[in-house]
Amino acid sequence: MNSLVLSHFDNYSQITINRPQALNALNAEVFNELDQVLSGTLPKSSKLLVITGSGEKAFAAGADITEFSNLSGDAARNMSQKGQKIFDKLEKYCLPTIALINGYALGGGLELALACQIRLITQKSILGLPELNLALIPGYGGTQRLPGLIGKGKAIYYTLTSENMNAETAVANGAADFLFPDIAEAQVFIENFAKKLSFKSSISLGLALEAIQNSGESAGFDLESDNFKKAFEAEDMKEGVGAFLEKRKPVFSHK
Ligand code: CO8
């Protein structure tokens, strides 16, 4: 693997997104490799699967915007659906999945964290869905999962304004589950959590997890991909993405 590192510790395994130069932005290779890990097997001793980002700044700063430049609307829809399927696999994974967030979790990066079953964040973390700044919309499940966690009203506010949440606000809103002063304390929590699970029956662990995972489903994902395509095909999106890549403020024509 090139964009991910898979490591195994005493009672858990960890995927680290290894693109610190691009703030761990999710490109096609990250998705392919994530799919590969989720389709494979982990050591029997692993009781948790942790996902984190490399470097000091980010969990993941979104989908890789450089991949948007020459994409058609149909290709964007396919990309959205492929990402959704892989995140679905993560949400239904046979072990509890933990997003370990130490820094930015934005756009597709937050959507990855929302597809994990548990989100741990450190004090310096920033969570948000900035897609509308690019005249896009979330496309990896964010419009479906965020309302379930923070409520529809807050999901509409944060998605439509692109306002970020700091760590305290994220926990208060329910977008993250546990807050730690730093990464070292979060890692101790993970080690203790995994150790506790190592004393349980793996049968009852699997059954309880499966029951909780199936507590709600929605048909909104297709609509999200369709609308992602529409946003992708609008002129404003080319302006939004172009402005980001050229490091300037966008000027939207609302077409
Ligand atoms: N994609 C590609 N490159 C990125 C991304 C990204 N999402 N985020 C950061 N980078 C790159 C920067 O371009 C920069 O590269 P370089 O050094 O070559 O110029 C490098 O990472 C470091 O970033 P910055 O210099 O910008 O670091 P700052 O500390 O100044 O700022 C921010 C950090 C605030 C996180 C800033 O990088 C930023 O705003 N990033 C973009 C955040 C964003 O808009 N994310 C949403 C992307 S869209 C999305 O996620 C859609 C998901 C659904 C997709 C559906 C299917 C296609």
Side-chain angles (χ1 to χ4, degrees):
M1 282 193 294
N2 186 48
S3 288
L4 300 185
V5 176
L6 177 62
S7 322
H8 305 294
F9 300 100
D10 269 355
N11 296 303
Y12 68 96
S13 295
Q14 180 169 301
I15 294 170
T16 306
I17 308 166
N18 193 27
R19 305 190 68 221
Q21 73 288 354
L23 303 189
N24 301 315
L26 309 176
N27 64 3
E29 190 172 63
V30 169
F31 276 100
N32 289 337
E33 292 182 3
L34 180 59
D35 197 22
Q36 211 180 307
V37 174
L38 297 175
S39 305
T41 49
L42 297 179
K44 270 216 162 77
S45 56
S46 287
K47 302 297 173 194
L48 297 173
L49 177 61
V50 177
I51 301 187
T52 196
S54 60
E56 295 295 309
K57 280 182 79 171
F59 174 73
D64 190 324
I65 300 171
T66 62
E67 289 186 342
F68 290 173
S69 295
N70 294 314
L71 214 58
S72 69
D74 284 327
R77 187 181 194 282
N78 289 340
M79 202 164 159
S80 160
Q81 290 218 301
K82 182 180 170 190
Q84 284 181 359
K85 277 197 187 114
I86 296 168
F87 285 3
D88 272 355
K89 261 193 195 176
L90 186 60
E91 191 171 46
K92 302 271 164 64
Y93 194 64
C94 55
L95 296 177
T97 51
I98 295 184
L100 173 55
I101 301 169
N102 184 35
Y104 291 110
L106 298 176
L110 178 57
E111 293 177 287
L112 168 63
L114 296 176
C116 291
Q117 293 144 16
I118 301 166
R119 282 155 294 283
L120 312 186
I121 58 172
T122 59
Q123 195 66 47
K124 71 175 188 186
S125 299
I126 303 278
L127 276 60
L129 293 175
E131 283 92 339
L132 271 87
N133 287 339
L134 305 171
L136 277 172
I137 69 166
Y140 290 142
T143 64
Q144 303 305 299
R145 291 192 177 97
L146 191 62
L149 287 168
I150 72 174
K152 260 190 196 171
K154 283 182 179 158
I156 288 172
Y157 176 80
Y158 284 103
T159 306
L160 271 53
T161 61
S162 308
E163 187 175 306
N164 289 331
M165 292 177 239
N166 65 22
E168 276 94 8
T169 307
V171 173
N173 283 339
D177 302 300
F178 298 96
L179 173 59
F180 300 91
D182 55 37
I183 191 82
E185 294 215 19
Q187 275 158 345
V188 170
F189 175 89
I190 290 170
E191 283 159 23
N192 290 336
F193 186 7
K195 196 168 181 188
K196 284 177 189 171
L197 300 192
S198 73
F199 299 120
K200 306 270 191 223
S201 151
S202 51
I203 306 287
S204 55
L205 281 177
L207 291 172
L209 183 64
E210 192 184 18
I212 295 168
Q213 282 166 339
N214 284 284
S215 55
E217 264 302 320
S218 151
F221 288 95
D222 277 343
L223 181 70
E224 180 183 80
S225 295
D226 290 341
N227 289 356
F228 188 85
K229 172 184 165 167
K230 285 179 190 157
F232 206 91
E233 288 175 336
E235 280 176 26
D236 276 348
M237 177 269 175
K238 289 181 189 62
E239 170 62 13
V241 168
F244 174 80
L245 296 175
E246 290 159 22
K247 300 188 189 295
R248 61 174 173 80
K249 274 197 176 254
V251 181
F252 295 125
S253 63
H254 308 287
K255 287 185 204 145

